[in-house]
Amino acid sequence: MNNNELNNIHAKIDKLLSVMTIAQKVGQMTQVERMTCTPDDVKKYHLGSVLSGGGSGPEHNNPQDWVDMIDSYWCSSMEIDEDHLALPIIYGADAVHGNSNVKGATVFPHNIGLGAANDENLMYRIAQVTAKEVLATGIDLAFAPNLAVAKDYHWGRTYESYAQTPEIINKYAPSIIAGMQSGIVNDSVFCCIKHWVGDGGTTHGINHGDTVLTWEELNKIHITPFVEAINAGALIVMASFSSWNGDKCHGHKFLIDDVLKNKIKFSGFVLSDMDGIDYLSNDFYKAVGLGVNAGIDMFMIPQNWKEFIEHLISHVELGSVSMSKIDDSVRRILYVKFAMQLFDKPRPKERQWANDPSFGSKEHKEVAREAVRKSLVLLKNNHNALPLNKQNRFLVCGKNADNIGHQCGGFTIDWQGISGNDSFPNGTSIWQGIQRTSPNSELFTSVESITQNQTQFDAAIVVIGEKPYAEGIGDIREDNEVIMETGSMVNGEISISEPYGNSIELQHLHPEDLQVIQALTAKNIPVIAVLISGRPLVINEELKLCDAFVAAWLPGTEGQGVSDVLFGDHNLHGKLSFSWPARNHLKTTTNSQCPPLLSFGFGLTY
């Protein structure tokens, strides 16, 4: 953007600010979940943004229904009368690995797999496809990418991190921003980079936990990816639920105002996470003031947003929040809306990409299939067990063999993900991909059916691993003492969910996987294991029994990409972007007291 364009935008903002009421300004600072907000509410309260949380969408969950729904909100925001200005809403949704809330979307591997691919050009093309499928539904804003540097496998969001160190993430950030925000013709999608800052470094990997680091360490490890993304044009930053040295990031004036806005010169706006300010204080009125004064500009308030508006207006009237603070936030929000040309766009129904037939297309799925192939990491290949001969007979089994929901993981259709194939009409499970490639393969769905079978097979392909989860529900906690420790460290409230388990050993999390492998080896059938997981897991026993072992991460809807590699149509490409743990009590990925089983960068090829 040149100086003339920038000056023109600020002149328009000055004009708007000069006539806006306090109610209109505070409304612009409010982002509301669609389930608690009607189109009439958007106009009445001058709301700046509406969102769909995970699993929140129209009844039939198809692109046309999304466009119709968002169009109604947009039209209300643009109605003008003596009390209302035409201020277009931003409509946001999680699109963390494709537009994965929507049925039939192209769902890409989660970030941990894409980090193993280590391919910037691929990331650009993934961002392009994601942007097209987001625009097809009328959405303006994707709450992505996540730029966290995960440091502990116990964290339930490990799969949202590309790597255990910032180098790959620093390279990826500009490609993603470019692909989403300027990589398609005549339109773009807002990126919301998250979470500011340090959420991947919490002690014990606890979601909402505390990252204990010096400023120098925080800056070097966790802040640099944000700098790269902002320099590439990112205009929205989401605050982190976590804390830094005991102080909540949502209320951290030093991190938000002093560092992000003043030192880094971030010109866009800072968005809270869902109900993020609630954890600053058990007094919601006080929490509102703390969040605004720390530098948060727009507030994601799914439920009690009317109360938020009342409280913030009261703070201004009483002087506990300055009018200049409000004006700065609204200026930033309006700047983003002008910069992304929201004031010039037609209504969602009339936009070029609305309900575009490219949504979920074969062309898009081919990009996802390539991403699957490049993300796979071969951990073991005794006696060249791989690649497989397509003409041989293969027994295929394991709970994740024919389950697209499991291979997609969390943030897919629903917040916590789903099980089964029904919501993925054009997707391919790993079994379906194998079946198309190797017609002599046979699927077995239970250990009993394996042990009772007398057919001779050349080898077994066992698809094992985790089931879907997201955020804190995916945390692994060995005991509750770590919760008490974290609670004593943090100045504010923390939200703790029931964990996924109490060990990162696969045989403890999912003993059924080892049981299947043992049943096969007892029949002297060579075993090829494919692990579906959102993080590296301790797999010593399983690895020992298998002839070959592939880390497939959470590959998304295109399971055919796994068989492409298993049967040798493509060679292995992926290298570990996280070291592989040897023991359960490994606390961080860099713990020198417990050397990893496999090092960062490891990955076999044919």
Side-chain angles (χ1 to χ4, degrees), residues 20 55 68 74 130 159 161 173 178 214 256 278 299 309 395 398 401 417 555 570:
M20 289 176 72
D68 291 343
W74 184 93
T130 299
Y159 64 77
S161 178
T214 65
I256 298 174
D278 287 21
F299 293 78
I309 289 172
L395 184 159
H570 293 265

Side-chain angles (χ1 to χ4, degrees), residues 296-450:
I296 293 176
D297 303 302
M298 183 180 283
F299 293 78
M300 190 187 293
I301 311 285
Q303 296 290 336
N304 55 332
W305 54 271
K306 293 179 184 177
E307 187 179 1
F308 165 81
I309 289 172
E310 292 174 1
H311 286 344
L312 185 47
I313 292 174
S314 174
H315 273 294
V316 174
E317 291 172 345
L318 294 174
S320 47
V321 171
S322 69
M323 198 65 221
S324 63
K325 197 72 175 173
I326 298 296
D327 283 345
D328 179 67
S329 290
V330 178
R331 176 177 291 278
R332 289 171 175 275
I333 293 165
L334 293 176
Y335 171 73
V336 171
K337 291 184 176 184
F338 276 113
M340 298 298 284
Q341 300 181 326
L342 275 187
F343 283 87
D344 301 320
K345 282 187 177 184
R347 62 190 294 177
K349 282 184 178 181
E350 297 175 358
R351 294 176 187 172
Q352 175 182 338
W353 293 98
N355 198 29
D356 193 82
S358 66
F359 182 91
S361 65
K362 181 179 179 182
E363 179 186 8
H364 288 182
K365 290 181 180 298
E366 282 301 316
V367 178
R369 185 171 169 180
E370 176 188 347
V372 175
R373 293 195 296 261
K374 289 184 173 179
S375 69
L376 303 179
V377 180
L378 182 59
L379 306 183
K380 180 182 179 180
N381 194 22
N382 273 9
H383 311 299
N384 294 318
L386 292 176
L388 301 171
N389 186 325
K390 297 176 185 178
Q391 304 309 314
N392 287 352
R393 293 181 59 83
F394 297 105
L395 184 159
V396 181
C397 60
K399 65 177 181 292
N400 292 335
D402 191 26
N403 197 312
I404 302 175
H406 284 194
Q407 69 194 39
C408 286
F411 291 101
T412 311
I413 303 298
D414 201 0
W415 173 43
Q416 291 295 320
I418 61 173
S419 182
N421 298 341
D422 292 346
S423 292
F424 309 97
N426 300 311
T428 305
S429 71
I430 292 171
W431 155 244
Q432 289 165 344
I434 294 169
Q435 188 180 31
R436 293 173 186 174
T437 306
S438 176
N440 294 325
S441 299
E442 188 173 345
L443 179 68
F444 288 75
T445 57
S446 67
V447 174
E448 290 75 23
S449 63
I450 294 170

Side-chain angles (χ1 to χ4, degrees), residues 35-294:
M35 295 290 286
T36 66
C37 162
T38 66
D40 287 342
D41 287 332
V42 168
K43 178 180 178 180
K44 180 178 179 180
Y45 294 95
H46 321 282
L47 299 177
S49 183
V50 179
L51 83 143
S52 284
S56 174
E59 180 181 359
H60 299 295
N61 196 18
N62 58 49
Q64 185 62 63
D65 280 3
W66 277 85
V67 170
D68 291 343
M69 176 185 71
I70 294 170
D71 187 78
S72 65
Y73 285 111
W74 184 93
C75 288
S76 289
S77 74
M78 299 300 284
E79 290 182 11
I80 302 174
D81 58 37
E82 60 183 13
D83 296 318
H84 298 89
L85 300 171
L87 300 171
I89 60 159
I90 300 173
Y91 199 101
D94 285 306
V96 298
H97 61 145
N99 194 6
S100 52
N101 280 322
V102 185
K103 189 174 182 178
T106 304
V107 180
F108 292 93
H110 268 298
N111 292 354
I112 192 169
L114 298 178
N118 199 5
D119 186 329
E120 294 168 68
N121 175 265
L122 174 64
M123 293 306 302
Y124 178 81
R125 288 183 286 123
I126 288 172
Q128 281 185 307
V129 171
T130 299
K132 288 179 183 178
E133 298 206 359
V134 167
L135 291 171
T137 57
I139 295 168
D140 307 298
L141 166 63
F143 301 127
N146 192 331
L147 302 179
V149 183
K151 288 293 185 180
D152 195 311
Y153 308 126
H154 296 81
W155 190 37
R157 303 190 81 147
T158 298
Y159 64 77
E160 295 185 61
S161 178
Y162 296 102
Q164 70 183 42
T165 59
E167 289 79 14
I168 291 175
I169 309 171
N170 290 347
K171 289 194 303 180
Y172 274 8
S175 295
I176 299 167
I177 302 304
M180 292 281 279
Q181 295 193 171
S182 58
I184 56 176
V185 178
N186 296 332
D187 213 339
S188 57
V189 170
F190 296 86
C191 286
C192 177
I193 55 177
K194 58 187 187 180
H195 302 89
W196 183 261
V197 61
D199 54 334
T202 60
T203 303
H204 306 300
I206 293 175
N207 203 49
H208 285 228
D210 189 24
T211 297
V212 181
L213 290 175
T214 65
W215 160 252
E216 290 74 20
E217 291 170 322
L218 184 75
N219 186 39
K220 180 180 178 181
I221 298 169
H222 298 283
I223 288 179
T224 53
F226 287 86
V227 175
E228 295 294 334
I230 290 165
N231 288 341
L235 291 171
I236 304 174
V237 173
M238 185 183 291
S240 175
F241 277 122
S242 60
S243 300
W244 176 45
N245 294 338
D247 293 323
K248 304 288 290 185
C249 291
H250 269 74
H252 213 299
K253 185 180 184 302
F254 171 75
L255 288 177
I256 298 174
D257 260 356
D258 298 347
V259 176
L260 181 59
K261 293 182 176 180
N262 294 322
K263 183 178 179 181
I264 298 176
K265 306 298 183 184
F266 174 63
S267 59
F269 71 79
V270 178
L271 175 67
S272 81
D273 207 334
M274 188 169 285
D275 287 329
I277 60 167
D278 287 21
Y279 304 98
L280 299 179
S281 171
N282 55 18
D283 180 337
F284 187 58
Y285 182 87
K286 182 178 179 181
V288 170
L290 289 170
V292 177
N293 285 325

